[in-house]
């Protein structure tokens, strides 16, 4: 140790250099001795070389995102512009027509994300909202990136004339290729097809469905080519909703869920599930995965949870059949194509709840609708639901770690939406409190007035492309409206 440290000392100057020389000389004598010893052993036929010593294992490469260079200035600017966009809420908060809340569980970093965007595509009758449940080592990064970029990519595609002219036949071919999940009964709630529930689709729904399919495809490609987020064993679910007037377009990927609270013929509040949990136990999903050599089985300790595994390895055990990311399974049946559906809002429909599986694992659809209806105000509805889910976790699964929960409540009866933002903010102080524990609440208020952004810089693959997103008003496809 002295030899190494002294040999590294500066060569110039006084007694220090002399002392270093003496030690180096001793080190050379020892080196000569070892050379002689190796020569003697070689003469005796004893092999002594690189193979006799344990090789130093190469250092594994750092995961993407660790030790990486800081984000480019244009990406940071894009993130700042998103945060400053009026009408956009991406954290705990509320506005006149929506309530958002997320709470970290006991499994580590909160991997859930959510968003509400008022005046989406520069239309005062259009909103975008969604929830995203990340999983894997970098699931929290994947969920946040999808939260930030999916609405931008969707809005950019909706603004393109080509996105409105794609024929319905191409959509049908894609649907037949993938195989849509069956709609089936789920105990207290019946999941029916959109055609059965709402009659014929509106004329422009096929083009809007194509825009959803394209935006989800481009988003998944962005994740695959991203330099700083490793999505090989990480991914996220997504439930995204666009509401324009009385029309709802829902894109679903994974096992997060959208549920409608509506009145039945007896004026009783009931739950209608708008999406299907895309899990491996659905026959059409299982058929696709097995066709591509993916394996599906449940672990002995959780026999009710079917998981997707690689053909030759018991990894990663994904509990859903579709997701963003998870590129280790993309060649084995896990896809990023969403199930896109349509619902026409009626006067009996009151609200929609979008939530991650941390809520649905412990609460039924009817329980969720009842809890939201019992909230003291719209602004506190999401928080009331998340806290109810956490209490249910402690009661039903006392030995399990509580999962992250994220909720977006979108209220469809917009009588209160005409209230001013000032009155809303006055009521919000009492409705949404700041938690005293480690899960502090960041309250964001929507002003309801979209601001003009010059450009949004979106990383698409390895290049940064400029997409005019808010400065140029989106020409959102007009759906049929009531007079």
């Amino acid at each position: 140790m002295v030899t190494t440290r002294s040999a590294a000392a500066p060569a110039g100057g006084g007694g220090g250099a002399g002392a270093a020389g003496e030690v180096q000389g001793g080190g050379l004598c020892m080196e000569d001795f070892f050379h002689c010893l190796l020569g003697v052993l070689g003469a005796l036929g004893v092999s002594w070389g690189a193979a006799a010593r344990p090789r130093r294992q190469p250092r594994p490469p750092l995961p993407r995102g660790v030790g990486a260079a800081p984000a480019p200035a244009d990406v940071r600017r894009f993130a700042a512009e998103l945060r400053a966009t009026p009408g956009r809420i991406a954290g705990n908060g509320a506005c006149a027509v929506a309530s958002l809340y997320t709470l970290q569980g006991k499994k580590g970093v909160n991997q859930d994300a959510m968003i509400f965007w008022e005046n989406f595509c520069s239309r005062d009758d259009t909103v975008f909202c969604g929830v995203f449940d990340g999983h894997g080592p970098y699931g929290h990064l994947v969920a946040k990136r999808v939260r930030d970029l999916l609405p931008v990519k969707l809005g950019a595609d909706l603004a393109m004339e080509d996105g409105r002219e794609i024929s319905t036949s191409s959509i049908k071919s894609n649907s037949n290729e993938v195989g849509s999940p069956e709609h089936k009964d789920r105990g207290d709630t019946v999941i029916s097809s959109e055609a059965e529930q709402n009659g014929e689709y509106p004329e422009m729904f096929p083009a809007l469905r194509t825009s959803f399919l394209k935006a989800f495809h481009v988003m998944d490609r962005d994740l695959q080519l991203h330099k700083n987020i490793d999505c090989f064993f990480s991914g996220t679910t997504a439930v995204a909703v666009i509401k324009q007037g009385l029309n709802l377009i829902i894109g679903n990927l994974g096992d997060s869920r959208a549920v409608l609270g509506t009145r039945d013929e007896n004026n009783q509040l009931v739950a209608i599930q708008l999406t299907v949990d895309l899990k491996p136990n659905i026959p059409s999903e299982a058929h696709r995965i097995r066709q591509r050599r993916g394996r599906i089985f449940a672990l002995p300790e959780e026999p009710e949870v079917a998981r997707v595994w690689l053909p030759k390895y018991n990894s990663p055990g994904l509990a859903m059949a579709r997701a963003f990311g998870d590129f280790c399974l993309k060649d084995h049946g896990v896809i990023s194509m969403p199930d896109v559906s349509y619902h026409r809002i009626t006067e009996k429909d009151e609200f929609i709840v979008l939530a991650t599986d941390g809520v649905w694992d412990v609460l039924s659809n009817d329980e969720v609708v009842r809890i939201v209806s019992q909230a003291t105000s719209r602004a506190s509805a999401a928080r009331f639901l998340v806290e109810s889910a956490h209490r249910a976790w402690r009661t039903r699964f006392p030995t399990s770690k509580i999962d992250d929960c994220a909720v977006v409540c979108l209220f469809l009866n917009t009588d209160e939406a005409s209230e001013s933002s000032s009155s809303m903010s006055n009521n919000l102080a009492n409705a949404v409190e700041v938690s005293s524990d480690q899960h502090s609440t960041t309250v964001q208020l929507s002003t309801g007035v979209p601001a003009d952004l010059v450009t949004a810089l979106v990383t698409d693959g390895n290049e940064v492309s400029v997409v005019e997103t808010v400065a140029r008003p989106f020409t959102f496809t007009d759906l049929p409206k009531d007079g």
Side-chain angles (χ1 to χ4, degrees):
M1 296 299 294
V2 176
T3 303
T4 304
R5 185 168 57 249
S6 300
E22 292 175 3
V23 177
Q24 287 177 2
L28 292 175
C29 293
M30 293 296 295
E31 185 177 357
D32 292 338
F33 171 77
F34 281 113
H35 277 299
C36 294
L37 179 61
L38 290 176
V40 172
L41 292 174
L44 295 175
V46 178
S47 61
W48 187 281
R53 294 176 297 187
R55 282 186 182 178
R56 176 182 295 181
Q57 297 296 327
R59 179 179 296 180
L62 289 175
R64 297 179 185 177
V66 179
D74 48 13
V75 177
R76 293 195 299 268
R77 184 175 61 187
F78 168 62
E81 289 175 342
L82 279 181
R83 288 192 297 268
T85 303
R88 179 184 179 273
I89 305 175
N92 294 346
C95 67
V97 297
S99 174
L100 296 83
Y101 196 79
T102 183
L103 192 59
Q104 178 182 333
K106 301 297 183 181
K107 298 181 178 180
V109 62
N110 190 348
Q111 294 191 307
D112 287 0
M114 57 192 179
I115 187 174
F116 169 81
W117 196 328
E118 202 170 12
N119 296 345
F120 187 63
C121 297
S122 298
R123 291 184 61 110
D124 56 6
D125 65 340
T126 303
V127 299
F128 174 92
C129 56
V131 294
F132 314 93
D133 185 359
H135 51 264
Y138 305 103
H140 58 296
L141 300 178
V142 180
K144 289 180 180 178
R145 184 163 182 84
V146 174
R147 175 201 67 189
D148 291 342
L149 290 190
L150 181 62
V152 174
K153 294 178 182 296
L154 180 59
D157 187 72
L158 291 171
M160 297 173 59
E161 190 70 23
D162 295 341
R164 297 195 294 269
E165 295 179 352
I166 299 179
S167 63
T168 309
S169 59
S170 63
I171 300 176
K172 292 181 179 178
S173 64
N174 289 335
S175 175
N176 294 334
E177 179 184 356
V178 175
S180 58
E182 298 87 353
H183 295 270
K184 49 189 177 181
D185 293 343
R186 300 248 179 181
D188 56 352
T189 301
V190 176
I191 306 174
S192 60
S193 67
E194 297 80 5
E196 294 172 348
Q197 183 176 349
N198 302 302
E200 296 297 328
Y201 295 126
E203 181 181 356
M204 299 305 297
F205 171 73
L208 286 171
R209 181 177 184 271
T210 301
S211 293
F212 264 84
L213 297 177
K214 182 177 179 180
F216 275 63
H217 170 74
V218 173
M219 184 70 249
D220 203 48
R221 184 184 63 183
D222 174 280
L223 293 171
Q224 186 176 19
L225 299 178
H226 198 279
K227 297 178 180 179
N228 297 323
I229 302 179
D230 190 343
C231 301
F232 195 68
F233 288 106
S234 300
T236 185
T237 69
V239 171
V241 172
I242 286 182
K243 173 184 175 293
Q244 183 190 24
L246 299 179
N247 301 284
L248 286 176
I249 310 296
I250 308 127
N252 178 39
L253 194 69
D255 59 358
S256 295
R257 189 184 301 174
V259 168
L260 172 69
T262 187
R263 298 281 175 178
D264 61 11
E265 60 275 6
N266 299 321
N267 202 33
Q268 298 296 316
L269 192 62
V270 296
I272 295 180
Q273 188 168 324
L274 298 177
T275 59
V276 177
D277 298 344
L278 298 173
K279 295 187 176 183
N281 58 356
I282 296 178
S284 59
E285 303 291 301
H287 177 70
R288 183 190 67 248
I289 293 170
R290 291 193 173 105
Q291 270 192 330
R292 302 183 184 180
R293 300 187 305 114
R295 295 183 300 151
I296 301 174
F297 63 86
L299 296 174
E301 58 268 23
E302 45 179 16
E304 72 285 353
V305 182
R307 297 181 179 274
V308 185
W309 310 84
L310 289 168
K312 297 182 180 179
Y313 302 95
N314 290 343
S315 177
L318 187 65
M320 62 204 71
R322 306 190 192 189
F324 283 121
D326 296 303
F327 293 105
C328 64
L329 292 171
K330 282 295 166 67
D331 291 334
H332 303 292
V334 174
I335 60 176
S336 60
M337 175 179 285
D339 182 26
V340 185
S341 56
Y342 170 82
H343 175 79
R344 183 163 181 84
I345 301 171
T346 68
E347 59 183 8
K348 295 184 178 181
D349 299 339
E350 295 194 359
F351 55 82
I352 296 174
V353 178
L354 310 180
T356 56
D357 65 345
V359 173
W360 308 115
D361 285 346
V362 293
L363 297 175
S364 67
N365 295 340
D366 284 336
E367 287 174 330
V368 166
V369 168
R370 184 175 65 252
I371 290 170
V372 172
S373 66
Q374 293 174 350
T376 56
S377 66
R378 289 184 173 185
S380 64
R383 175 170 182 169
F384 188 38
L385 177 56
V386 169
E387 291 177 344
S388 299
H390 269 235
R391 287 192 295 269
W393 270 97
R394 289 191 291 267
T395 302
R396 300 186 183 185
F397 306 107
T399 60
S400 300
K401 293 183 179 180
I402 301 175
D403 197 6
D404 305 326
C405 296
V407 168
V408 176
C409 297
L410 177 63
F411 296 95
L412 306 176
N413 184 354
T414 57
D415 292 341
E416 300 179 15
S418 58
E419 299 177 2
S420 63
S421 299
S422 59
S423 62
M424 186 64 190
S425 60
N426 291 334
N427 296 331
L428 192 62
N430 296 327
V432 183
E433 302 172 354
V434 177
S435 301
S436 58
D437 58 4
Q438 60 179 351
H439 308 299
S440 61
T441 302
T442 303
V443 178
Q444 300 184 15
L445 291 178
S446 168
T447 64
V449 180
D452 289 338
L453 298 180
V454 178
T455 55
L457 302 175
V458 184
T459 303
D460 188 4
N462 294 324
E463 298 178 358
V464 177
S465 59
V466 178
V467 181
E468 298 177 2
T469 55
V470 185
R472 176 168 60 87
F474 289 143
T475 311
F476 193 95
T477 304
D478 289 328
L479 291 174
K481 303 179 182 178
D482 289 342

